[in-house]
Amino acid sequence: EDGSVIFSDYRSWHEHREKPFSMKLSGHEFSGSYLGVCALKVDSNGDVDKFACGGFMKLERDGKTIFSLDQPADIVVRRTAQSEYNAIIVGAATNHFNTVQN
């Protein structure tokens, strides 16, 4: 409804095995892996607006890491009106949310 791409894989969640993904959105190649479900919304420039992912560790755009964690966790990331990112991270004992600015 809002332009997000949503994909799921029951087997990855059930067997606790990462499922890799790769897709082209707004002229950019996004890739990473997930457990169970993942959703991604980007704007017309290829900047991430929203991202939700089970078992997340890394999101890449055009082969460069844009978000990463030190350990797998469930994550929701939203871009604010001021183009900053807010994240909710659940599931890992210690996480360092890393963002890379272009």
Side-chain angles (χ1 to χ4, degrees):
E1 194 172 286
D2 71 353
S4 297
V5 175
I6 302 169
F7 41 102
S8 64
D9 184 78
Y10 174 78
R11 189 177 204 173
S12 70
W13 175 78
H14 183 70
E15 296 177 1
H16 204 345
R17 278 196 292 182
E18 294 179 357
K19 173 79 174 178
F21 71 89
S22 180
M23 67 184 65
K24 196 161 197 154
L25 299 169
S26 297
H28 296 275
E29 185 75 26
F30 289 88
S31 61
S33 62
Y34 66 99
L35 291 176
V37 67
C38 189
L40 177 61
K41 180 182 179 192
V42 301
D43 66 14
S44 60
N45 295 322
D47 295 323
V48 174
D49 278 335
K50 298 177 187 175
F51 180 63
C53 188
F56 170 77
M57 282 199 65
K58 178 171 59 172
L59 177 66
E60 294 182 338
R61 183 180 70 189
D62 301 327
K64 296 180 183 177
T65 301
I66 55 174
F67 298 141
S68 67
L69 293 174
D70 296 337
Q71 299 174 20
D74 298 339
I75 187 169
V76 175
V77 178
R78 295 183 65 137
R79 188 168 61 175
T80 68
Q82 296 78 27
S83 292
E84 297 173 343
Y85 288 101
N86 291 329
I88 299 170
I89 303 167
V90 178
T94 59
N95 278 304
H96 297 90
F97 182 63
N98 305 303
T99 61
V100 177
Q101 302 296 325
N102 293 330

